[in-house]
Amino acid sequence: ALVAAAFVGLGGASLGQAPEIADVTQGVTGLTLIAAKSQHASPIPRELFGKYVFIASHRGERLEDLYGNAMLSANSDTEEMWTLSDAGDGKLFITSSMGQQLEDVRGTPKMSPRKQGWEAWTLQDAGEGKVFITSSAGLHLSDANGNLRLVRNALEWETWTISEANSPQPNPPTTPPKDRLGSFLVIGDWGWDQWAHGNLVSSSCQQAIANKMLSKMNELGDVKFVVNVGDSFYPNGLSGKDDPQWDTKWRDVYPSKVRSVPWYSVYGNHDYHLDPGVCSSEPNAGAQINDDVHDLSRFYMPSYNWFREHPELNLEVVGLDLNKFQNGWQHQLTYDQH
């Protein structure tokens, strides 16, 4: 698998109908805090919605999403960048650059892929350009000597500043060496599912890899295709060619440029479980089978075993379905048992 190192900007949701403005206060961070006339009123930095921001504690530590864990950090990298979006009723979602929402889980700040009530927060004016960040349960986000907590107090330790951060950008495209015919990326066993991977609290790692693939594509400048070696949809594969997992686990995760080249694919054992092609004699029944290399809305997999020549690269790509040999990793089995 690719190692995460770079991130691209994530869009934020736009605000709905604007609340009636009561007053405007210029903060020390240069933000305009707008207080609304509502029982759910909170100062909302409206001009920052959809932009990357840093959220810093009274000690100067920044809120961070470290691979799905809400923490504090002295760094100012992409892991410390967040976006704000409207959650309705005077509340907002606080979303990390990894695409996860800050959440109050029974009094503990954590990260979540969802956008529901427990992920909604309010900002309350704390004066001097600072805010209290309050969960749906009425608890305040706190920096307790470097430890991120949720508490009932609303004192200095619970004050935060929000400032605009420069949006991280992918590496600009480069000109490939003249003597190189092309390049390709390889990825496999990448499918993440929130129910099947309880040891991974979010899809942050998968998103980081997807963003790194975009960065690497720009760096190489001549990527022709992606080789995908399977186990793409955990835990049980796809139920059909229009399964919504195409969106939630692939199209919504991997940037459009990464999907602008064919993904040469084969089935992993997890991809087979509920796939309609398993019990069908029709070659095209498989949910991932697609023989149109120009159809980039899905993987390219014309059959379970296939090949494709690239004479311009002096290369032949061969895809083999070796799932019948998956017991081969169990070296203690005899030949007959295999």
Side-chain angles (χ1 to χ4, degrees):
L2 297 172
V3 178
F7 302 86
V8 294
L10 299 173
S14 59
L15 275 171
Q17 183 177 0
E20 183 181 359
I21 296 176
D23 63 273
V24 178
T25 304
Q26 186 67 28
V28 296
T29 60
L31 302 181
T32 301
L33 302 180
I34 302 175
K37 290 180 178 178
S38 167
Q39 62 177 346
H40 302 290
S42 63
I44 301 176
R46 296 173 61 87
E47 73 278 9
L48 293 184
F49 271 58
K51 297 181 179 180
Y52 270 109
V53 297
F54 290 127
I55 302 175
S57 73
H58 71 101
R59 298 172 58 252
E61 298 278 295
R62 290 186 173 92
L63 188 63
E64 175 187 44
D65 176 358
L66 185 62
Y67 300 111
N69 298 292
M71 304 179 68
L72 289 168
S73 171
N75 300 324
S76 55
D77 301 320
T78 50
E79 292 86 352
E80 288 77 46
M81 293 183 180
W82 303 76
T83 55
L84 308 176
S85 58
D86 183 31
D89 203 20
K91 299 180 181 181
L92 51 81
F93 295 118
I94 303 175
T95 306
S96 75
S97 62
M98 308 286 271
Q100 306 297 301
Q101 279 65 239
L102 186 66
E103 178 184 36
D104 175 357
V105 181
R106 298 182 181 88
T108 301
K110 293 188 176 182
M111 304 304 302
S112 169
R114 301 177 297 273
K115 279 190 173 182
Q116 299 175 359
W118 299 115
E119 292 78 45
W121 300 77
T122 56
L123 301 183
Q124 300 172 336
D125 191 357
E128 298 183 348
K130 299 181 180 182
V131 295
F132 296 117
I133 302 176
T134 308
S135 74
S136 58
L139 300 179
H140 305 292
L141 198 65
S142 175
D143 175 357
N145 295 320
N147 297 306
L148 195 62
R149 297 282 189 266
L150 283 168
V151 299
R152 297 191 180 279
N153 301 326
L155 305 174
E156 178 185 358
W157 293 272
E158 289 72 56
T159 59
W160 301 80
T161 57
I162 302 176
S163 59
E164 184 175 355
N166 293 324
S167 298
Q169 299 294 328
N171 296 332
T174 59
T175 302
K178 293 182 179 180
D179 59 347
R180 191 170 74 197
L181 300 179
S183 60
F184 58 91
L185 304 179
V186 182
I187 188 172
D189 206 19
W190 51 266
W192 179 84
D193 181 84
Q194 62 178 326
W195 307 115
H197 296 93
N199 59 324
L200 295 176
V201 296
S202 77
S203 61
S204 297
C205 291
Q206 184 187 13
Q207 188 65 63
I209 290 171
N211 294 338
K212 179 59 178 177
M213 290 174 71
L214 175 62
S215 176
K216 180 58 69 172
M217 283 189 72
N218 283 324
E219 177 187 332
L220 293 171
D222 59 356
V223 172
K224 305 300 183 183
F225 52 84
V226 174
V227 171
N228 172 33
V229 300
D231 273 359
S232 306
F233 297 99
Y234 273 87
N236 296 314
L238 302 175
S239 60
K241 295 184 184 295
D242 295 324
D243 192 305
Q245 292 181 94
W246 279 113
D247 287 323
T248 59
K249 296 182 179 179
W250 187 56
R251 299 186 188 112
D252 293 346
V253 176
Y254 295 88
S256 58
K257 184 171 182 178
V258 177
R259 294 180 287 103
S260 69
V261 296
W263 279 49
Y264 292 164
S265 301
V266 292
Y267 274 81
N269 63 301
H270 282 274
D271 296 316
Y272 261 125
H273 292 185
L274 297 180
D275 193 280
V278 173
C279 299
S280 174
S281 59
E282 294 294 326
N284 196 42
Q288 298 185 39
I289 298 297
N290 172 28
D291 62 0
D292 185 356
V293 73
H294 301 294
D295 179 6
L296 301 178
S297 66
R298 295 176 175 85
F299 306 151
Y300 175 72
M301 195 190 318
S303 184
Y304 298 99
N305 299 283
W306 58 272
F307 72 93
R308 182 173 181 81
E309 296 180 344
H310 280 272
E312 77 281 7
L313 302 176
N314 193 25
L315 176 71
E316 181 182 31
V317 180
V318 178
L320 296 177
D321 182 355
L322 300 178
N323 282 289
K324 66 180 296 183
F325 303 111
Q326 66 175 310
N327 286 333
W329 65 273
Q330 301 184 56
H331 302 297
Q332 72 274 17
L333 298 180
T334 66
Y335 177 80
D336 292 339
Q337 290 174 312
H338 280 288

